[in-house]
């Protein structure tokens, strides 16, 4: 049974299924299901922000919200931190106020590829790289300590962790590397839960489905923000590769044209790598792009949630 709608959202019950799905995509919610299911999902989520309320923290007078977005990996874990200022929080049209500021944007190797010193005459097989909980638990703690407890200029208030898949391209088999990254992902959530439970860090943690991020930026629901690819839906076995290429191009446009995010410090150097051609550009652009579009999707979902509440059914006119 759908919850009783508040007066400001009663109009949702009059919408068609396609309209409800468009609103779900615009706010980062699952877009599958019947009309009653979609309506209930929207009613349950639209009145609650998924940005940690800074007034609940004990971090002094700083009212800036900070979103740490992590794109999972072992050799290439990418992350960025977005800052949303008090003017963004107070604005009824946050997209037209202060831009989100990318304070940190980088990637790292959680565990470097091991090197083996074997003599040419030795036939001893190489030892398999260890990837057990005992080995990787310190990696999880070290990573989050550096990104949270030692964060500059301030720790994040919301942390987004890319949700990992269990299978690749619909294969019936599960790759060993996928299991490894999934285990490390679970460790990060466990460490964060411990930090919160012991009041060492205050904030919210969310697992983000990459498919919803891609559907938002590259799907058939053009939000008329000037940042989509014109609503082209990608299908077939090349969908994943095409999606990575499109997100790299998207981030390149953000950096080159401006008006979407502001870059500061070393994040500006990373951004320039997306518009610099040749070997002088940054490596692993797909991972760096993924963490930024994930963080910016979270920002846009919050903006759209506030617009839906403020504009009501008029918001649908923006979707076309």
């Amino acid at each position: 049974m759908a919850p009783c709608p508040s007066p400001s959202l009663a109009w949702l019950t009059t919408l068609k299924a396609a309209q409800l799905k468009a609103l779900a995509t615009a706010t980062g919610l699952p877009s599958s299901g019947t009309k009653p299911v979609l309506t209930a999902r929207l009613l349950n989520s639209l009145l609650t922000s998924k940005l940690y309320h800074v007034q609940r923290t004990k971090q002094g007078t700083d009212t800036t919200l900070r979103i740490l977005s992590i794109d999972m990996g072992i050799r290439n874990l990418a992350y960025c931190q977005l800052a949303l200022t008090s003017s963004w929080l107070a604005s009824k049209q946050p997209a037209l106020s202060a831009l989100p500021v990318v304070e940190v944007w980088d990637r790292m190797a959680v565990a470097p590829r091991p090197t083996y010193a074997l003599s040419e005459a030795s036939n001893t097989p190489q030892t398999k790289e260890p990837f057990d909980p005992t080995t990787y638990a310190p990696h999880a703690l070290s990573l989050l300590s550096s990104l949270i407890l030692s964060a500059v200029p301030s720790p994040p208030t919301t942390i987004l962790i890319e949700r990992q898949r269990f299978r690749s391209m619909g294969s019936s088999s599960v790759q060993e590397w996928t299991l490894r990254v999934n285990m490390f992902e679970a460790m990060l959530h466990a460490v964060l839960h411990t930090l919160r439970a012991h009041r060492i860090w205050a904030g919210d943690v969310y697992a983000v489905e990459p498919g919803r991020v891609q559907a938002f930026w590259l799907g058939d629901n053009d939000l008329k923000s000037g940042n989509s690819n014109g609503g082209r839906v990608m299908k077939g076995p090349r969908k994943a590769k095409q999606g990575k290429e499109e997100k790299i191009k998207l981030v390149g446009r953000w950096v080159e044209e401006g008006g979407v995010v502001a870059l500061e410090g070393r994040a500006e150097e990373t951004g320039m790598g997306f518009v610099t051609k040749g070997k002088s550009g940054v490596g692993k652009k797909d991972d760096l792009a993924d963490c930024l579009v994930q963080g910016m999707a979270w920002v846009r979902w919050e903006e759209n949630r506030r617009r839906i509440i403020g504009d009501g059914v008029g918001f649908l006119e923006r979707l076309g």
Side-chain angles (χ1 to χ4, degrees):
M1 178 182 294
C4 180
S6 67
S8 62
L9 295 176
W11 54 274
L12 288 174
T13 60
T14 67
L15 299 182
K16 298 178 180 178
Q19 294 173 309
L20 293 170
K21 290 181 179 181
L23 292 179
T25 300
T27 51
L29 298 173
S31 59
S32 61
T34 63
K35 282 183 59 176
V37 169
L38 288 165
T39 302
R41 190 177 292 149
L42 288 163
L43 291 174
N44 282 328
S45 66
L46 287 178
L47 295 179
T48 304
S49 173
K50 288 186 178 180
L51 289 177
Y52 191 84
H53 202 294
V54 286
Q55 293 181 0
R56 287 160 46 195
T57 72
K58 297 180 180 180
Q59 298 173 6
T61 58
D62 185 8
T63 58
T64 300
L65 289 179
R66 288 184 167 86
I67 301 173
L68 174 63
S69 177
I70 298 175
D71 180 73
M72 287 297 302
I74 299 298
R75 299 284 185 251
N76 293 286
L77 183 144
Y79 59 93
C80 68
Q81 182 161 292
L82 295 162
L84 305 174
T85 63
S86 55
S87 60
W88 184 94
L89 295 169
S91 175
K92 293 183 178 179
Q93 292 184 306
L96 301 179
S97 61
L99 295 176
V101 178
V102 184
E103 299 178 321
V104 180
W105 190 13
D106 208 345
R107 63 183 178 89
M108 63 178 294
V110 173
R113 191 180 302 277
T115 57
Y116 302 95
L118 298 177
S119 64
E120 295 182 359
S122 174
N123 293 322
T124 304
Q126 294 183 354
T127 303
K128 187 175 182 180
E129 178 185 1
F131 198 99
D132 54 88
T134 302
T135 300
Y136 268 75
H139 291 327
L141 179 59
S142 175
L143 169 67
L144 293 175
S145 295
S146 65
L147 295 181
I148 297 177
L149 304 183
S150 303
V152 177
S154 296
T157 49
T158 299
I159 297 179
L160 312 176
I161 301 177
E162 177 199 24
R163 187 73 177 93
Q164 293 302 288
R165 63 185 184 274
F166 290 95
R167 290 181 172 86
S168 298
M169 302 299 292
S171 172
S172 59
S173 61
V174 180
Q175 301 296 322
E176 181 183 10
W177 193 258
T178 300
L179 292 175
R180 292 178 175 185
V181 181
N182 283 344
M183 186 185 76
F184 190 62
E185 174 192 7
M187 285 184 170
L188 295 184
H189 281 279
V191 172
L192 289 168
H193 180 81
T194 302
L195 294 178
R196 291 182 62 188
H198 289 275
R199 299 185 179 181
I200 299 173
W201 170 73
D204 289 330
V205 183
Y206 296 95
V208 183
E209 294 284 352
R212 293 179 198 165
V213 175
Q214 181 157 310
F216 178 77
W217 292 114
L218 309 177
D220 58 354
N221 290 305
D222 184 359
L223 300 184
K224 301 191 183 300
S225 61
N227 299 319
S228 75
N229 70 336
R232 176 164 56 86
V233 181
M234 293 170 290
K235 298 180 180 180
R238 297 186 61 194
K239 179 178 179 180
K241 181 179 179 180
Q242 289 178 321
K244 288 181 177 294
E245 293 172 351
E246 291 291 342
K247 282 182 281 188
I248 291 173
K249 293 177 182 177
L250 177 66
V251 171
R253 290 197 296 272
W254 289 352
V255 174
E256 192 167 23
E257 300 173 6
V260 178
V261 294
L263 306 177
E264 67 175 28
R266 292 187 61 184
E268 187 172 5
E269 297 177 15
T270 302
M272 291 306 299
F274 279 81
V275 297
T276 302
K277 297 181 179 180
K279 296 183 179 181
S280 58
V282 296
K284 295 298 292 182
K285 291 182 182 179
D286 55 335
D287 297 322
L288 290 166
D290 281 344
C291 69
L292 183 58
V293 298
Q294 176 177 268
M296 280 303 299
W298 203 262
V299 172
R300 289 287 187 261
W301 292 341
E302 172 64 11
E303 291 175 352
N304 288 338
R305 184 192 69 82
R306 291 161 63 177
R307 286 174 180 159
I308 290 170
I309 294 174
D311 298 344
V313 70
F315 177 82
L316 287 168
E317 297 177 0
R318 301 174 183 272
L319 302 181

